[in-house]
Amino acid sequence: MFELMIPLDTGSKKPLYEQIYDYIRRNITDGKISRGEKLPSTRLLAGNLQISRSTVESAYEQLLSEGYIESKRGSGYYVGDISELYFCSRFAGQKTEKKKTAGFRTKEAFLDREKYRIVFSPEENEFAYFPYNAWRRITREVLAADDPSLFLTGEAAGEMELREAVCSYLYRARGVNCDPKQMIVGAGNEYLLMLLVQILGGKRKVAAENPTYLKAYRTLLNMGCEMVPVRMDKSGICMEDIKEKNPEIVYVMPSHQFPMGTVMPMKRRLELLQWAKERQGRYIIEDDHDSEFRYRGKPVPSLQGSDAGGTVIYIGTFSKSISPSIRVSYMVLPETLLDAYDANCGFYAPTVPKEQQKVLAAFLNQGCFERYLNKMRRIYKTKRDVFLALLKKESWVRTIYGDGAGMHLLVELKTEKSGTQVVREAEAKGIRVYDLEEYRILDSGKQENRFPTLLLGYGALSEEEMREGISCLREIVSIQSEHTISGRFG
């Protein structure tokens, strides 16, 4: 056993048990405390730190629940084997510690964490609350089965066990009507989009909302599709533009458009479905990327659930709800495309390891996933409420919108500066914010918004980081005269 000299900040807003938890977890993951080493007893550590024993017990209980330490009856607490925590050692813990270890969906986001103190990323999740014990238990059960089939290639479309579990979940949670035979499991949305172009059998004309999720746009563009940007209004993608530009496929995010945060109302959805039914060969790609996290009103059913004509291709992912590193997405094809899938792509090997599929299937079937989602909805809603309250106090904030779902919102600024200027000046202060113009398909050479607009993610930020980032933006935006501001906005 060794002594722990833990520096506690009694003036910090972070509870003492969290400070103890962070310190021990960080030292375990860094290898400074080795596997099998005995930790001081709760009584001894509490005495050394001159705090209550219950505070130390709370920290130890958290470490115990996440698998960092083990309890041996009559002996005490010992450092556990963290090699089985999967991505636990990369994602657990507080944001300030994740800056160099968390996994991200883009190379740029990874570089952000190396370069910036605070990143308002719209794509980063909070991983500290993931049920690592349940995931680890299920993983052990799958591997302990001594099933030789785990080492075989598996089904091209994904393991039937997982497809059945996802279909069941989608029906309950999103109103998606599908049979497991319609589902294809793949390593990420980009892979599934590349697969889809091959299933459709040619380079198609695809309309996409502008601004949009650029990864999807670039993937389809790289696959040879003719990409057509379409304007948006308050209801989403503009039907007038679709009819004028006459695409074969429309790529949309009706339940929570990225980056605008728009929720497509039923009237517009029915118009879009009617457009698709009017001509054979028209399809709608519904990207339902983060519909799990909605904070106002009733959940919005999927567009696919209202589709009677077999025109909607539904794509979803576990990247937002679980982790980007898990790389599991799924696509639900209309029955009319199943023969084309078998003929054009049915010979491809699966891209998600079989054991990972089986673990995820059990995670869903045992109710762990939905319990975790329920918890994270509350946590993200609390984060959103705190972030909104802080922003609404700022005089430089003109309008806030897109905050009804997901993990980001949009903020119009009262400033003469462009969004690019604000991003650049924030970068100089070690803060990464995102200009809405970064997500536009075409560079028109001018800012299309009347007011500069920032896209600010809050999913992985603590309240302290939110306050620090907002304070930085206040300094940047406010460096101009009152006369200039009143002249433009008064």
Side-chain angles (χ1 to χ4, degrees), residues 450-462:
R450 181 185 173 194
F451 301 95
T453 304
L454 297 182
L455 188 144
L456 301 177
Y458 55 82
L461 297 181
S462 65

Side-chain angles (χ1 to χ4, degrees), residues 109-123:
F110 176 78
L111 294 176
D112 281 344
R113 278 304 182 187
E114 294 293 319
K115 183 176 180 180
Y116 300 100
R117 292 184 291 118
I118 298 173
V119 177
F120 285 94
S121 171
E123 300 189 60

Side-chain angles (χ1 to χ4, degrees), residues 255-269:
S255 295
H256 185 235
Q257 202 275 343
F258 182 88
M260 299 300 291
T262 306
V263 177
M264 187 181 292
M266 184 56 67
K267 183 175 184 295
R268 181 64 53 84
R269 292 173 182 235

